[in-house]
Coordinates of all heavy atoms in Angstrom, one line a residue:
M1 N 0.8 -1.2 0.0 CA 0.0 0.0 0.0 C 0.9 1.3 0.1 O 0.6 2.1 -0.7 CB -0.9 0.0 1.2 CG -1.8 1.2 1.3 SD -3.0 0.9 2.6 CE -3.5 2.5 2.8
I2 N 1.9 1.2 0.8 CA 2.8 2.4 0.8 C 3.5 2.5 -0.5 O 3.8 3.6 -1.0 CB 3.8 2.3 2.0 CG1 3.1 2.3 3.4 CG2 4.9 3.3 2.0 CD1 3.9 2.0 4.6
N3 N 3.8 1.4 -1.2 CA 4.6 1.5 -2.4 C 3.7 2.1 -3.4 O 4.2 2.8 -4.3 CB 4.9 0.1 -2.9 CG 6.1 -0.5 -2.1 OD1 6.8 0.2 -1.5 ND2 6.2 -1.8 -2.0
K4 N 2.3 1.9 -3.4 CA 1.5 2.6 -4.4 C 1.5 4.1 -4.1 O 1.4 4.9 -5.1 CB 0.0 2.1 -4.2 CG -0.1 0.6 -4.7 CD -1.6 0.2 -4.6 CE -1.7 -1.3 -5.0 NZ -3.0 -1.8 -4.8
I5 N 1.5 4.5 -2.9 CA 1.5 6.0 -2.7 C 2.9 6.7 -3.0 O 2.9 7.7 -3.6 CB 1.2 6.2 -1.1 CG1 -0.1 5.7 -0.8 CG2 1.5 7.6 -0.7 CD1 -0.4 5.7 0.7
L6 N 3.9 5.9 -2.8 CA 5.3 6.5 -3.2 C 5.7 6.2 -4.6 O 6.8 6.8 -5.0 CB 6.3 5.8 -2.2 CG 6.1 6.0 -0.7 CD1 7.2 5.3 0.0 CD2 6.2 7.5 -0.4
K7 N 5.0 5.6 -5.4 CA 5.3 5.3 -6.8 C 5.7 6.5 -7.7 O 6.8 6.5 -8.4 CB 4.3 4.4 -7.5 CG 4.8 3.7 -8.7 CD 3.8 2.7 -9.2 CE 4.4 1.9 -10.2 NZ 3.6 0.8 -10.6
P8 N 4.9 7.6 -7.6 CA 5.3 8.8 -8.3 C 6.6 9.5 -8.0 O 7.2 10.3 -8.8 CB 4.2 9.7 -8.2 CG 3.2 9.1 -7.3 CD 3.7 7.8 -6.9
L9 N 7.2 9.2 -6.8 CA 8.4 9.9 -6.3 C 9.6 9.2 -6.9 O 9.6 8.2 -7.4 CB 8.4 9.9 -4.8 CG 7.3 10.4 -4.0 CD1 7.4 10.3 -2.5 CD2 7.3 12.1 -4.3
P10 N 10.7 10.0 -7.0 CA 12.0 9.5 -7.4 C 12.4 8.4 -6.5 O 12.1 8.2 -5.4 CB 12.9 10.7 -7.5 CG 12.3 11.9 -6.8 CD 10.8 11.4 -6.6
F11 N 13.4 7.6 -7.0 CA 13.9 6.4 -6.4 C 14.4 6.7 -5.0 O 14.1 5.9 -4.0 CB 14.9 5.7 -7.2 CG 15.6 4.5 -6.5 CD1 14.8 3.3 -6.4 CD2 16.8 4.6 -5.9 CE1 15.4 2.2 -5.7 CE2 17.4 3.5 -5.2 CZ 16.7 2.3 -5.1
S13 N 13.8 9.1 -2.9 CA 12.7 9.4 -1.9 C 12.0 8.3 -1.6 O 11.6 8.1 -0.4 CB 11.8 10.5 -2.7 OG 12.6 11.8 -2.9
R14 N 11.6 7.5 -2.6 CA 10.9 6.2 -2.3 C 11.7 5.3 -1.3 O 11.1 4.7 -0.4 CB 10.5 5.4 -3.6 CG 9.5 6.0 -4.4 CD 9.1 5.0 -5.5 NE 10.2 4.3 -6.1 CZ 10.4 4.2 -7.4 NH1 9.6 4.8 -8.3 NH2 11.5 3.6 -7.9

Side-chain angles (χ1 to χ4, degrees):
M1 179 170 163
I2 293 174
N3 289 336
K4 289 181 184 178
I5 296 171
L6 299 176
K7 197 170 189 174
L9 298 175
F11 175 76
S13 298
R14 283 193 317 230

